[in-house]
Amino acid sequence: MSDQTPALRLEGIVKTFPGVRALDGVSLSVMPGEVHALMGENGAGKSTLMKVLGGIYQPQEGRIIVEEVPTVMTSPLQAKSKGIVFIHQELSLAEELTVAENIYLGELPRRSFGRVDWEKLYTQTDAILAKLKVGFNAKTIVGDLSIANQQMVEIARALTVDAKAVIFDEPTASLTDAEKVVLFDVISDLQRQGVGIIYISHRMEEIFKITDRISVLRDGSYRGTLETRNTTEEEVTQLMIGRALDLSRNESNHELGDVALEVRGLSCGHMFKDVSFDVRRGEVLGFYGLVGAGRTEIVETLFGLREPSGGKILLDGEEVRISSPADAISKGISLVPEDRKGQGLVLGMNCRDNMTLPQVGELSSGPFVAPGAETAIFDKYKEKLDIRTPGWKQTVGNLSGGNQQKIVIAKWLSMHPKVLIVDEPTRGIDVGSKSEIHNLIRDLAAQGYAVIVVSSEMPEVLHVSDRIVAMFSGRVMRTFTSEEVTEESLIQAISGITATEKVA
Amino acid sequence: MESMSKAGIGRFLARQGILIAFAVFIIGFTLANGRFLSPENVMGVVRSSAILGVMALGVTFVVISGNLDLSVGSMMSFSTIVVLDLHDKIGPVLAIPAMFVMTLCLGAFIGFLVGYLKLNSLIVTLGMLSAIHGLTLTYSGGQNMDIADKEGTWFSVFGQGSALGIPVPILIFLLLAALLGIVLAKTPFGRKVYAVGGNGTAATFSGIKRARIVFLCYVMSSFCVAVAGLIQASRSLGSQNTVGQGLELDVLAAVILGGASLLGGSGTIFKTVIGVLILGFIQNGLLLVGLQFYVQFVVTWAIIILAVWLDIAAKRGKLLSTIA
Ligand SMILES: Nc1ncnc2c1ncn2[C@@H]1O[C@H](COP(=O)(O)OP(=O)(O)OP(=O)(O)O)[C@@H](O)[C@H]1O
Ligand SMILES: [Mg+2]
């Protein structure tokens, strides 16, 4: 490999934003046919480096060299024409347009007089979609697709050009296992064609499965490159966060309290049927299942976003009707939603105001908002969750993906709810902070909160939960205690393989 | 930062473009007519902008919440006609609150349609523009409305009086601007308006009652319209049915000139006041250099389009840089 010319080299890249030195002289080289992992904590500068490469940001210093030719990337379209394809961390699709239009945006095939050649557009697109084995076609409107499928559309974009290097920025954050398999197939195809691949992810198991080398950034500077074959998770973590990770679960032996939330025979159309479970104070209840198993729909119903078609919800033993999120919040239920950009944050608002939004009324003194109290909350959680931002005034949209997620978590933690529901709490969060958030969830339980954790990551559910509800296709298949659960039994339960024992 | 890139300059221009264009206008007008920056003229501009300004304050709330209000012009005609009519029938002391209640009802109705029934605000307020015009004509029977005893009423104080040497309309405008500026910037309600306009779904997920916020914004807007109608009626003590016609566009132009985004979620009262003054000076300048009154319509439109274009251009730049 070493005698080849690199597909791509970055030299001494410096990029600053007001108050932040995001990249401090970073160099990197990617060989053709190599899958090169880029790792680092939230806010380390990974996405920024890739945006420099993709022509979205202009660096203050440094050079980009594509196949030994120094190149200035002036715009995303120009970068694409040089063979650099960028699949973004946050989706950047036009929701009202079709899949085909999104994939070929800016370069639709033309007939005479500049008319769009729709037929060609659709056949080309369908050919690409076939390779990705997705369940939608060229004419589907992007807004109608699930987040995971929208991600697949982003990926399809990469396959339309003769790429020299493809950048994947946390592509698997919202993919199911099956979709991941397809993605990895696509990656190894590209690899065989000699394309250099830069792969950003916080998931160690993926990194070790598909990458050849791992480069690590920390606080905007380059920390080194490791051969994946010759390294370990511990070594990478050490390089990333400068210390070893404590992965032990803090088992405080606190007493479980009364049942805080009880759900009996809850149904909602065809989304989920006859769901029953309860959560006690001091307990973490995990919900595990495939995407589409109805977990998100259940928590949305508990949060007043959906009207149940049958069944009962009891809070502290009393039956309640939850008519809206405002109602849920006043009853002491909080939800960290799964889609931070769409549901969790007002991107144009600053960090502090986002964090205190649900309680801005309660915090007010007289008729006025109380900036002092709000800033105090912000400072407390910035410290507690290690949120990297120059200050509360920073617009949330300017934070790194993981730090945005932390703002959403802080927003709901700071409400001190009776029942805290978190849907995919650590999506896009680095290993260090992830274990901090897991510890935090355990701590909350120890303090007497009832916590529900919905997650698609088995290690996460196994790690944080006291009991686990396994769901399949809108039904509760089985509820495990943490003593009895095994990976195999859990996998069986969520694939609907176990004989459907009815849990009364 | 040290070396501003091409894109950086573009973004700077997009953001400051209005102020630069304004500066060019001012210099041009002053060269063309020395009277332009005289104290009397400046005071005149502010004074004649007061009615428009008061309406723009309310519309700022609506626009930040992510909606439009094109009904304010015809609603202002309604308020003016109603208060003039009632003045002679039940006396000013009762006429004023009665007019406020009626105008607020109109605002509440629009707020109900856009907020609770989630109808498109452009369609609703455009429809209300003509519906209210019809209502006004029905009310007045198509006649101009005049106060019988123009000399003897204290009602003229709102439009013609002055205190501390400052005309009352200007005082009302500035006081209301200060008050609403505080409401928008310093109260939980104001914060919620930004949240609803910035990301309605996230606002709902945060327990904000989106429909209610939108509703209140329209009520706020109609309150400002009622104040504007009061000033207008008091200034002229008589009025045609069409006195507010076309003002909705000037108001919108002022709000957007001030930098509120039509996409919602941004803008401030202070910026709207600046927008009102910019518009006032430009229109006054055009008159001073001897252009026909009607040319103003063309210019107002050109300004709206320019402002919207700059807004979108700036957003694009920003969007590109925020996709993580
Ligand atoms: N447009 C911007 N304006 C100001 N600061 C920014 C901007 N974009 C990024 N930053 C800052 O630069 C730093 C690096 O951000 P970046 O998005 O590159 O992190 P990351 O490594 O991708 O993190 P994550 O794993 O959370 O996605 C962060 O501190 C972030 O707040
Ligand atoms: Mg990132």
Side-chain angles (χ1 to χ4, degrees):
Chain A
M1 206 193 263
S2 50
D3 43 82
Q4 273 176 299
T5 56
L8 187 73
R9 268 193 306 148
L10 294 165
E11 281 180 359
I13 304 284
V14 174
K15 174 75 197 170
T16 60
F17 298 105
V20 194
R21 199 168 174 85
L23 296 173
D24 194 7
V26 176
S27 303
L28 191 73
S29 81
V30 181
M31 293 299 180
E34 170 191 39
V35 182
H36 195 121
L38 190 56
M39 297 199 71
E41 290 175 283
N42 296 130
K46 306 177 295 294
S47 297
T48 306
L49 184 64
M50 293 304 108
K51 284 191 230 180
V52 166
L53 181 53
I56 296 169
Y57 291 150
Q58 307 304 314
Q60 272 91 5
E61 287 170 36
R63 296 199 301 167
I64 300 171
I65 300 159
V66 182
E67 290 183 335
E68 298 298 294
V69 185
T71 311
V72 178
M73 302 295 177
T74 52
S75 74
L77 222 52
Q78 191 249 7
K80 201 170 170 185
S81 74
K82 301 277 178 204
I84 310 287
V85 182
F86 191 170
I87 293 154
H88 290 278
Q89 177 173 14
E90 311 287 340
L91 299 167
S92 54
L93 300 169
E95 303 218 329
E96 309 80 40
L97 300 185
T98 62
V99 169
E101 286 167 307
N102 265 288
I103 291 177
Y104 286 95
L105 206 63
E107 30 193 21
L108 296 172
R110 300 284 176 175
R111 284 160 48 189
S112 52
F113 303 113
R115 289 170 303 158
V116 175
D117 188 344
W118 294 106
E119 212 166 299
K120 189 167 168 205
L121 175 66
Y122 291 133
T123 43
Q124 277 181 356
T125 307
D126 280 327
I128 291 171
L129 294 179
K131 263 191 240 169
L132 292 174
K133 304 186 190 73
V134 292
F136 54 89
N137 65 36
K139 292 181 186 166
T140 313
I141 301 293
V142 163
D144 295 339
L145 295 174
S146 67
I147 301 270
N149 278 332
Q150 293 190 12
Q151 187 76 51
M152 294 312 268
V153 175
E154 287 266 5
I155 292 167
R157 271 181 176 175
L159 305 181
T160 62
V161 289
D162 183 20
K164 298 198 172 67
V166 181
I167 303 159
F168 291 91
D169 195 351
E170 299 194 38
T172 54
S174 46
L175 296 191
T176 64
D177 289 336
E179 288 162 332
K180 272 182 226 168
V181 171
V182 174
L183 173 68
F184 295 158
D185 281 351
V186 171
I187 290 179
S188 64
D189 271 355
L190 288 171
Q191 203 176 358
R192 266 194 299 280
Q193 292 160 24
V195 178
I197 290 163
I198 301 179
Y199 189 87
I200 301 179
S201 172
H202 292 293
R203 298 192 172 160
M204 288 287 186
E205 67 295 351
E206 289 169 6
I207 298 285
F208 278 85
K209 190 163 152 193
I210 68 165
T211 70
D212 302 308
R213 289 193 297 165
I214 303 172
S215 288
V216 176
L217 294 185
R218 192 161 137 214
D219 292 334
S221 44
Y222 171 74
R223 285 300 154 122
T225 301
L226 305 163
E227 295 273 339
T228 311
R229 263 176 294 134
N230 306 327
T231 186
T232 58
E233 289 192 18
E234 289 71 37
E235 196 179 359
V236 177
T237 309
Q238 182 76 39
L239 207 54
M240 265 171 70
I241 63 179
R243 61 187 155 83
L245 208 56
D246 175 20
L247 283 174
S248 64
R249 160 166 157 169
N250 51 342
E251 290 286 3
S252 61
N253 274 325
H254 60 279
E255 293 278 305
L256 289 192
D258 300 333
V259 173
L261 174 75
E262 199 177 338
V263 171
R264 289 284 160 259
L266 200 66
S267 304
C268 180
H270 57 275
M271 301 293 202
F272 55 87
K273 281 211 174 62
D274 198 18
V275 169
S276 301
F277 60 89
D278 49 44
V279 206
R280 307 174 83 93
R281 289 177 197 282
E283 184 181 44
V284 180
L285 182 69
F287 269 79
Y288 188 63
L290 300 173
V291 171
R295 298 163 304 161
T296 293
E297 287 74 12
I298 291 176
V299 297
E300 285 180 354
T301 309
L302 295 177
F303 196 58
L305 287 157
R306 289 172 191 274
E307 179 97 22
S309 56
K312 287 196 284 195
I313 302 171
L314 295 89
L315 268 177
D316 288 331
E318 268 179 54
E319 184 168 351
V320 289
R321 232 195 108 247
I322 301 165
S323 58
S324 68
D327 194 18
I329 292 168
S330 72
K331 291 187 163 82
I333 301 175
S334 281
L335 169 66
V336 176
E338 88 183 311
D339 172 10
R340 64 168 165 262
K341 206 171 153 195
Q343 306 166 332
L345 296 169
V346 181
L347 287 181
M349 215 179 227
N350 68 42
C351 293
R352 182 195 71 187
D353 293 358
N354 261 291
M355 198 185 280
T356 56
L357 194 56
Q359 49 184 329
V360 63
E362 284 69 59
L363 283 177
S364 57
S365 61
F368 301 117
V369 293
E374 292 184 55
T375 311
I377 292 183
F378 174 80
D379 289 340
K380 179 172 159 198
Y381 285 92
K382 175 176 163 32
E383 163 98 39
K384 203 164 181 171
L385 300 185
D386 188 21
I387 299 172
R388 307 278 171 90
T389 158
W392 64 263
K393 286 186 184 146
Q394 180 69 282
T395 309
V396 156
N398 287 343
L399 295 197
S400 78
N403 283 302
Q404 291 180 7
Q405 180 71 11
K406 291 181 187 177
I407 299 269
V408 185
I409 293 180
K411 168 173 162 179
W412 293 107
L413 269 188
S414 62
M415 297 288 293
H416 302 294
K418 216 181 286 174
V419 180
L420 175 68
I421 308 172
V422 288
D423 197 351
E424 305 289 357
T426 58
R427 180 173 286 169
I429 286 200
D430 68 55
V431 281
S433 310
K434 197 164 177 170
S435 77
E436 275 162 38
I437 286 174
H438 290 164
N439 286 339
L440 199 71
I441 290 176
R442 298 295 313 162
D443 283 349
L444 288 171
Q447 289 162 32
Y449 291 99
V451 187
I452 295 177
V453 176
V454 176
S455 175
S456 306
E457 286 185 53
M458 173 134 40
E460 176 162 282
V461 189
L462 290 172
H463 188 68
V464 301
S465 315
D466 295 310
R467 286 187 300 138
I468 299 171
V469 177
M471 293 205 53
F472 170 72
S473 172
R475 287 175 185 276
V476 173
M477 302 307 285
R478 201 177 148 187
T479 303
F480 298 89
T481 63
S482 60
E483 290 82 38
E484 70 187 4
V485 69
T486 61
E487 291 196 11
E488 295 75 46
S489 57
L490 201 51
I491 289 174
Q492 278 192 357
I494 63 150
S495 349
I497 294 173
T498 30
T500 331
E501 309 159 358
K502 190 100 174 150
V503 196
Chain B
M1 261 142 288
E2 309 83 59
S3 62
M4 229 203 270
S5 64
K6 227 169 160 185
I9 293 175
R11 226 168 291 149
F12 174 79
L13 275 181
R15 219 178 299 133
Q16 309 299 337
I18 287 296
L19 285 180
I20 294 168
F22 182 49
V24 172
F25 264 106
I26 296 266
I27 294 169
F29 286 141
T30 314
L31 291 181
N33 188 328
R35 234 163 30 88
F36 186 63
L37 279 183
S38 68
E40 307 85 67
N41 192 49
V42 169
M43 197 58 140
V45 169
V46 178
R47 183 181 184 151
S48 63
S49 301
I51 291 183
L52 178 111
V54 165
M55 289 159 76
L57 298 177
V59 171
T60 303
F61 279 78
V62 173
V63 168
I64 294 176
S65 79
N67 293 297
L68 283 176
D69 193 348
L70 295 179
S71 70
V72 290
S74 79
M75 200 187 286
M76 197 273 258
S77 306
F78 174 81
S79 308
T80 308
I81 292 292
V82 167
V83 78
L84 287 173
D85 176 59
L86 294 181
H87 179 277
D88 284 3
K89 289 187 181 145
I90 58 177
V93 178
L94 291 177
I96 296 171
M99 176 274 273
F100 267 81
V101 169
M102 284 192 241
T103 312
L104 288 175
C105 283
L106 290 176
F109 181 61
I110 298 175
F112 174 75
L113 296 180
V114 179
Y116 290 94
L117 299 190
K118 300 191 170 54
L119 302 180
N120 180 294
S121 69
L122 176 71
I123 308 291
V124 168
T125 60
L126 206 54
M128 286 304 281
L129 186 158
S130 27
I132 297 176
H133 184 53
L135 190 67
T136 311
L137 287 173
T138 316
Y139 185 92
S140 67
Q143 302 298 309
N144 288 353
M145 207 57 86
D146 277 289
I147 289 178
D149 179 12
K150 292 195 179 177
E151 308 298 302
T153 179
W154 57 266
F155 182 74
S156 61
V157 65
F158 304 109
Q160 302 173 21
S162 64
L164 312 166
I166 307 174
V168 172
I170 297 183
L171 279 180
I172 296 181
F173 173 44
L174 294 181
L175 280 179
L176 199 60
L179 182 73
L180 295 188
I182 290 173
V183 169
L184 188 58
K186 303 270 184 234
T187 66
F189 169 71
R191 186 77 60 76
K192 291 173 187 175
V193 172
Y194 283 105
V196 164
N199 182 348
T201 310
T204 305
F205 270 75
S206 301
I208 292 171
K209 293 180 178 129
R210 188 179 173 180
R212 187 159 92 187
I213 301 297
V214 171
F215 172 81
L216 289 175
C217 284
Y218 278 102
V219 172
M220 188 81 93
S221 175
S222 66
F223 175 80
C224 291
V225 168
V227 174
L230 180 66
I231 299 175
Q232 174 65 41
S234 160
R235 186 159 84 180
S236 53
L237 299 178
S239 173
Q240 299 176 337
N241 290 291
T242 52
V243 57
Q245 200 171 50
L247 271 185
E248 57 279 338
L249 288 182
D250 287 12
V251 166
L252 197 61
V255 172
I256 295 172
L257 273 179
S261 166
L262 275 187
L263 305 174
S266 71
T268 65
I269 290 291
F270 178 72
K271 286 182 182 171
T272 290
V273 171
I274 300 289
V276 167
L277 295 180
I278 291 180
L279 191 69
F281 276 109
I282 290 178
Q283 294 190 340
N284 169 266
L286 292 174
L287 280 182
L288 282 190
V289 296
L291 285 177
Q292 273 195 11
F293 182 67
Y294 298 106
V295 175
Q296 284 188 14
F297 296 131
V298 179
V299 172
T300 305
W301 262 105
I303 290 172
I304 294 187
I305 290 168
L306 180 72
V308 170
W309 177 71
L310 286 172
D311 174 42
I312 304 278
K315 273 271 151 48
R316 277 224 189 99
K318 207 157 156 203
L319 268 184
L320 272 185
S321 65
T322 51
I323 337 171

